[in-house]
Amino acid sequence: MFFSVMRKTGSFLLPIFGVFLIGALPYLFFSNVRGIEAVARLLEMGSIQNALFLDQNLGFFIDPYFNKIGELMKKLLTFSNVEYYESQQMKFIFPTILPYFFYSLKLVVAAFLFSGIAAIFLALLVKILPDVLQRAVRFLFFTFESLPDIFIVVMIQYFIIVFYRNTGDLLFPIVHSDQNPTYLIPILSLSILPTLFLVRTLLFLLDDEDSKTYVDFARAKGVRYTLVLYVHMLRNSLLSLFYYSKTVYWLLISSLFMVEYVMFIPGITKFMLNNGPTTPDVITVSILLMFVPFYLLFTLLSYVLKLKLGQKEEEVA
Amino acid sequence: MFVWKSPLFLTGFLIILSMFIGSIVYTHYVPNEKQPVLKILYDKDDKPVDSAPLAPSKEMPFGTDQFGVSMLHRVIDGAKYTLGFAFLIAFMRLFVGTLLGLILSQLPKSIQRNTSKLFEAFYYAPATIISYLILFPVLQIFTWSITRTEQTIFAILFLILIAIPPVMVTVANETSKFLENEFISSVKVLGGRRLHTLRKHVLPFLWPRLSIVYSQQVIATLLLVAHLGVLKVFIGGTDFITLEPLSNNTVPFAMINEWSSMLGANIHQIRSNRWIVFVPLAGFALAILALNFMVEALKQKYLAQGSYTKVRRSKRKKTTAIPVKALSKKQFEKVMKTGTDG
């Protein structure tokens, strides 16, 4: 009993340990990370223009790497505050990072919910279209999904600018400022790719559901197809859709950076980019902040799904 | 070789191939010394009307950059670098990842499970920011103590390394799932060794899946390189040029016409000289679109999992109802008595 609990906790904590492996990567590759930090600080201060004088060896430095991981873990486990360097002084990371973190969290959660709801609507809409039209729409969605996130973000921003130029009214603020925080456009641009992904997945699940006998039975009884679709097929495939929430999270996280960078949003990725070079610890802490809540959620979700659906692990495409 | 008949696959493949080969052939005929340059635009009376960057016009179909070099030339010239980098990096990722994955699949189950758990974070951490953290010092701070070739090799090695864990875990999971098949135990009973099983049974099963993973890795590399370009980290090496010496306006500038650097160095020009941003961006979008076509076709073929182009509802047979005969009373009675109305 004791051992099994230990093993469960161990495998539960492993991905979190993996984050530490990532965060300490500079110590693996550079002989002189302190040097990089110092130079990055001086560069930020503007007292030097370049760092041509500093010597740096590249290679694998296993010892400093694991020392760093141990040090940082000890710090975080004892809840002592991590220090980082910003505008020429050492600051404590912990109250400072929170506004950045919450801004990003708001964007990600809102985009998550929005893409889920939008995907259900779109998938049901596509499903009741006539076949010829349906094929065209599916292909269109697939094409849009294939576009890179950077393209979508830039295009949305550009179209709003063009609209502003032509009509003179700004639909939504496209760039963040402190007086005028922007939410709608970042959320929209964040959620386009996950929405398309979810639409595709849901359509895949619904197509699968189509071939089951209860649909034929309901149709034979004279129940309209749309009714079967809205009530029964949707309900049956929605649960399986939760298996894909990890991929949605991954899509959101990977395009979050682009959205924040292009729209000047003070989010967690901006914090990481500003302070990462001067203090690599910031990266570990930020990734942990973004990763752990969702990781807990997904673990809980997969547990619930296992109870509900039985052992039906599906590989995420 | 059935997948070659799929129009979706062929379209994607031809687009990618023509971009890559076309770029190499183009460079052979128009090297960078002979690049088309148009710095000042004159009107009919030889009056200067505009200076570089010039908007798209008849002479310069995609406009020019701020030095008057044709964007069309730069984007064609750059295709071979960007795509070449992506092909190389994805291939190495896949090669090393597959080897390690096959080794991992032979280890005990508990080690496999724990390894895949440990590397889960590599999948969810934002790769762009980590690569930036590692590559920024190498490519921009220590440009002196590390030579140019070393910089590029290090950048490529790192971009390979960062995606090996996910590839490895994917391959290991696929393989160990495949090894659970019943005929594998027959192989063992009949005396097949591990290497034999891997070579004769696992690899043929794995090839199509690897081709899918390869295309996906090329896409991931292209996206990562584009993101890094936006952060002013250029894989092809960075030069610093000073635009206006008095205002200390030094900007990183790409040494070669590589797309990500063309995109990244000018991303904030989107409000003024948008074609400088849009041309490389369109290149990326087209390349990724073509690769996704290939992935979709491969998935349809090998995994029976493509979803955008499959419509099951249309395949359902539409049976027309048998027309109801109107019977007279006499016929009806006859039917009731004999069973036929004939």
Side-chain angles (χ1 to χ4, degrees):
Chain A
M1 178 64 199
F2 177 71
F3 276 110
S4 93
V5 169
M6 279 291 283
R7 208 184 300 137
K8 283 256 167 69
T9 351
S11 71
F12 174 72
L13 288 178
L14 267 177
I16 296 174
F17 179 68
V19 174
F20 282 90
L21 287 185
I22 294 174
L25 272 179
Y27 292 83
L28 183 64
F29 292 113
F30 301 129
S31 64
N32 186 6
V33 182
R34 291 241 162 267
I36 297 180
E37 289 175 26
V39 168
R41 285 168 196 185
L42 288 173
L43 282 174
E44 196 195 289
M45 263 158 71
S47 55
I48 53 169
Q49 293 297 329
N50 56 47
L52 302 180
F53 55 87
L54 212 91
D55 192 40
Q56 186 76 5
N57 286 324
L58 298 175
F60 281 105
F61 303 97
I62 308 285
D63 269 2
Y65 180 55
F66 282 105
N67 285 346
K68 184 66 204 172
I69 292 172
E71 190 189 311
L72 195 61
M73 283 183 94
K74 211 189 287 171
K75 253 188 201 165
L76 287 179
L77 283 180
T78 51
F79 292 102
S80 46
N81 218 329
V82 178
E83 279 186 325
Y84 78 103
Y85 180 89
E86 194 185 21
S87 42
Q88 295 150 50
Q89 49 187 343
M90 298 303 284
K91 285 182 182 170
F92 283 124
I93 202 168
F94 256 108
T96 337
I97 197 174
L98 292 179
Y100 295 95
F101 167 60
F102 283 130
Y103 203 126
S104 290
L105 195 68
K106 270 182 220 161
L107 293 185
V108 169
V109 170
F112 212 111
L113 296 177
F114 179 78
S115 57
I117 295 166
I120 293 172
F121 267 109
L122 283 176
L124 291 182
L125 203 68
V126 170
K127 202 69 182 140
I128 56 171
L129 286 177
D131 280 339
V132 182
L133 208 58
Q134 194 176 23
R135 213 169 297 170
V137 170
R138 280 178 187 230
F139 190 74
L140 194 72
F141 277 12
F142 163 64
T143 314
F144 273 121
E145 199 194 341
S146 309
L147 293 175
D149 50 359
I150 176 168
F151 188 80
I152 289 175
V153 175
V154 170
M155 275 305 179
I156 286 182
Q157 216 186 18
Y158 181 67
F159 276 122
I160 290 172
I161 293 173
V162 167
F163 192 81
Y164 176 62
R165 269 194 199 144
N166 291 340
T167 61
D169 49 3
L170 193 59
L171 289 176
F172 311 102
I174 48 167
V175 166
H176 175 86
S177 64
D178 283 342
Q179 291 84 22
N180 197 2
T182 164
Y183 284 102
L184 202 89
I185 288 299
I187 288 172
L188 196 68
S189 13
L190 259 183
S191 54
I192 283 182
L193 286 180
T195 306
L196 292 174
F197 169 78
L198 280 177
V199 168
R200 185 180 55 154
T201 319
L202 194 57
L203 281 178
F204 180 65
L205 293 170
L206 286 175
D207 283 346
D208 222 34
E209 213 68 24
D210 242 351
S211 59
K212 288 189 178 158
T213 42
Y214 75 88
V215 180
D216 284 336
F217 180 63
R219 295 280 289 134
K221 272 181 73 175
V223 184
R224 255 180 309 158
Y225 181 73
T226 41
L227 196 69
V228 183
L229 180 70
Y230 290 154
V231 180
H232 302 284
M233 286 164 66
L234 183 64
R235 197 161 54 192
N236 287 346
S237 44
L238 264 190
L239 264 182
S240 313
L241 196 64
F242 280 108
Y243 274 117
Y244 297 87
S245 50
K246 274 185 180 179
T247 314
V248 172
Y249 170 75
W250 175 74
L251 281 170
L252 285 173
I253 285 294
S254 55
S255 50
L256 178 69
F257 146 74
M258 214 48 245
V259 171
E260 289 190 357
Y261 187 83
V262 171
M263 299 184 182
F264 301 106
I265 289 167
I268 194 115
T269 56
K270 196 187 176 198
F271 189 80
M272 283 157 96
L273 288 177
N274 283 349
N275 302 309
T278 51
T279 330
D281 294 356
V282 168
I283 302 287
T284 316
V285 175
S286 318
I287 296 178
L288 278 178
L289 275 180
M290 284 311 275
F291 178 68
V292 173
F294 288 95
Y295 177 61
L296 290 177
L297 186 73
F298 294 145
T299 317
L300 194 74
L301 211 64
S302 73
Y303 187 70
V304 172
L305 283 181
K306 225 177 240 173
L307 280 185
K308 280 254 177 193
L309 296 181
Q311 297 280 352
K312 202 182 129 198
E313 284 284 343
E314 269 174 67
E315 277 303 307
V316 175
Chain B
M1 288 291 111
F2 192 54
V3 76
W4 294 97
K5 285 184 185 166
S6 152
L8 205 60
F9 184 86
L10 270 184
T11 319
F13 187 76
L14 283 181
I15 290 174
I16 285 289
L17 198 73
S18 56
M19 272 171 138
F20 189 60
I21 303 285
S23 167
I24 292 173
V25 172
Y26 176 81
T27 320
H28 187 71
Y29 288 107
V30 189
N32 269 344
E33 292 84 51
K34 283 197 269 177
Q35 63 191 7
V37 177
L38 184 66
K39 283 195 174 156
I40 297 165
L41 190 68
Y42 298 97
D43 64 357
K44 277 176 233 152
D45 314 327
D46 270 0
K47 266 189 208 157
V49 281
D50 200 1
S51 73
L54 296 169
S57 59
K58 225 176 228 170
E59 298 101 70
M60 294 285 156
F62 286 169
T64 72
D65 66 356
Q66 57 267 56
F67 306 107
V69 183
S70 162
M71 286 307 286
L72 183 66
H73 166 80
R74 291 188 65 185
V75 83
I76 296 179
D77 185 48
K80 63 174 182 297
Y81 298 115
T82 309
L83 293 177
F85 273 132
F87 290 150
L88 178 76
I89 289 171
F91 177 76
M92 287 309 292
R93 280 175 175 183
L94 201 68
F95 186 72
V96 183
T98 309
L99 274 186
L100 291 177
L102 286 179
I103 294 172
L104 186 65
S105 70
Q106 301 300 314
L107 298 177
K109 267 271 146 61
S110 63
I111 294 182
Q112 270 180 53
R113 209 178 307 121
N114 285 337
T115 322
S116 65
K117 275 269 175 193
L118 183 64
F119 289 132
E120 202 169 310
F122 273 79
Y123 188 68
Y124 295 116
T128 313
I129 290 173
I130 297 149
S131 320
Y132 173 75
L133 195 70
I134 305 281
L135 296 181
F136 166 74
V138 174
L139 296 179
Q140 284 205 14
I141 297 186
F142 302 102
T143 44
W144 185 262
S145 65
I146 303 164
T147 59
R148 277 267 147 83
T149 17
E150 266 182 4
Q151 286 175 32
T152 309
I153 290 173
F154 179 80
I156 291 175
L157 279 183
F158 182 76
L159 290 184
I160 292 169
L161 207 66
I162 193 164
I164 283 180
V167 174
M168 180 180 84
V169 169
T170 314
V171 171
N173 284 345
E174 287 277 346
T175 310
S176 60
K177 212 195 279 170
F178 174 75
L179 286 178
E180 278 166 16
N181 275 326
E182 272 176 22
F183 64 87
I184 294 295
S185 44
S186 322
V187 172
K188 277 181 195 157
V189 169
L190 289 173
R193 302 241 171 106
R194 264 186 192 178
L195 272 179
H196 173 86
T197 323
L198 283 184
R199 216 177 61 227
K200 290 281 175 185
H201 298 277
V202 175
L203 275 184
F205 161 81
L206 224 51
W207 275 130
R209 279 156 187 77
L210 287 183
S211 64
I212 293 172
V213 177
Y214 179 73
S215 314
Q216 284 170 337
Q217 285 299 325
V218 175
I219 294 169
T221 316
L222 282 176
L223 277 178
L224 183 57
V225 168
H227 284 180
L228 283 175
V230 171
L231 287 173
K232 314 274 188 288
V233 173
F234 307 145
I235 306 300
T238 314
D239 265 339
F240 290 91
I241 52 165
T242 306
L243 291 178
E244 296 154 53
L246 288 177
S247 58
N248 195 11
N249 190 358
T250 305
V251 291
F253 189 76
M255 291 158 60
I256 50 177
N257 291 326
E258 198 257 323
W259 288 352
S260 70
S261 44
M262 283 161 69
L263 172 66
N266 304 305
I267 183 85
H268 287 303
Q269 298 223 21
I270 182 148
R271 288 167 196 80
S272 48
N273 308 315
R274 54 191 175 281
W275 57 90
I276 301 183
V277 183
F278 278 162
V279 171
L281 199 57
F284 269 117
L286 190 62
I288 290 174
L289 191 67
L291 283 162
N292 264 320
F293 279 177
M294 286 163 70
V295 170
E296 178 72 14
L298 285 168
K299 270 189 183 170
Q300 262 177 39
K301 177 73 193 70
Y302 293 117
L303 307 186
Q305 206 191 36
S307 43
Y308 269 112
T309 36
K310 180 183 69 183
V311 184
R312 266 199 205 158
R313 239 177 90 197
S314 68
K315 283 185 183 164
R316 211 184 266 166
K317 273 180 205 157
K318 275 186 185 147
T319 43
T320 40
I322 300 163
V324 182
K325 275 186 197 168
L327 297 178
S328 62
K329 200 172 181 189
K330 210 173 165 188
Q331 278 173 322
F332 180 74
E333 277 165 3
K334 196 180 177 193
V335 170
M336 293 306 282
K337 273 177 198 160
T338 60
T340 59
D341 63 342

